[in-house]
Amino acid sequence: MMKVKDIVREAASALGLTDAVDYCDGKNAASGDTPAAGEEDAKELLKFFHRVETDTAVNYVPLIFEEAVESRNGKIDTSALSKKFLRATYLRDKNGLRAQYKTYPGYLLTAEKSGVLGYAYYPAEKTLSDDADFSADELEKAFVAGIAAEYYLKKQLFEEADVYAREYKAALSLARRTQSGKNFKARRWR
């Protein structure tokens, strides 16, 4: 399981923000009304973490959750689900068989009275002490690169942002390929 604090710390380290690294390690403490050294940088990197995690879940590697659902008048209200609904991936009836459904804004239309809905969801905002929704360790490198790209973009250092953005997308492409089981066979060159 990836910890948000660890990812933010690694991003701060990659960016050379030593006060933010110390803040994540718990070495800097606030005194009175003055925030701890590195706290503002760490909070800014946390905002970038949210953007990267959401972008990853929406565009590259979806977060899938299963939930028991019931329909009312043939409609499953997607706003009543426990996670923020992005899109349905499957619906199974009470016997575990695939059920038919149609997606509409705010609800799914189905003939089933109850079942299990598998759906992609938007990750919730987190604090430094939370766990990331993603558990794959190979995504940690992608998240660090994505946070660095966002940081440099905000600082208007476009070349640096572009380097990290390409690294972010390459790492996510690899993660998506390995998650979907489409690994390439090793080839022999002559």
Side-chain angles (χ1 to χ4, degrees):
M1 185 64 68
M2 296 190 312
K3 292 278 192 193
V4 174
K5 184 184 287 189
D6 295 339
I7 296 167
V8 169
R9 185 198 181 287
E10 287 302 314
S13 178
L15 294 166
L17 302 173
T18 55
D19 285 341
V21 171
D22 290 343
Y23 177 77
C24 289
D25 289 340
K27 294 179 182 175
N28 296 348
S31 59
D33 292 339
T34 308
E39 181 177 359
E40 289 182 23
D41 286 336
K43 286 183 178 180
E44 182 178 41
L45 295 179
L46 179 63
K47 287 179 188 174
F48 298 149
F49 170 85
H50 295 305
R51 288 184 198 163
V52 169
E53 187 178 45
T54 301
D55 180 55
T56 301
V58 171
N59 297 314
Y60 296 97
V61 183
L63 292 164
I64 306 296
F65 187 72
E66 283 189 344
E67 186 170 337
V69 293
E70 292 189 20
S71 67
R72 292 188 181 173
N73 299 326
K75 293 181 180 180
I76 298 171
D77 183 12
T78 56
S79 65
L81 297 171
S82 61
K83 306 250 184 216
K84 190 173 177 186
F85 181 82
L86 176 61
R87 66 182 164 272
T89 57
Y90 60 86
L91 177 64
R92 297 196 188 278
D93 65 13
K94 61 184 176 185
N95 298 321
L97 301 172
R98 289 246 180 196
Q100 297 293 320
Y101 65 91
K102 286 192 176 191
T103 306
Y104 293 95
Y107 67 94
L108 300 176
L109 189 62
T110 183
E112 300 300 322
K113 300 284 185 209
S114 64
V116 175
L117 177 65
Y119 62 96
Y121 66 93
Y122 292 98
E125 288 203 16
K126 295 170 187 59
T127 64
L128 285 174
S129 59
D130 290 334
D131 290 330
D133 281 330
F134 291 95
S135 61
D137 290 335
E138 69 262 10
L139 287 177
E140 185 172 346
K141 179 181 177 185
F143 276 41
V144 170
I147 292 168
E150 291 284 336
Y151 177 83
Y152 282 127
L153 193 60
K154 183 171 185 207
K155 300 289 183 189
Q156 296 185 353
L157 298 169
F158 301 114
E159 289 179 14
E160 290 86 345
D162 186 51
V163 168
Y164 280 105
R166 279 190 261 146
E167 186 178 323
Y168 166 66
K169 289 178 183 175
L172 287 177
S173 177
L174 177 65
R176 182 173 37 182
R177 205 171 27 231
T178 57
Q179 272 199 346
S180 65
K182 295 179 183 175
N183 293 330
F184 295 104
K185 283 183 156 182
R187 306 258 189 228
R188 286 184 69 173
W189 294 93
R190 295 183 193 200

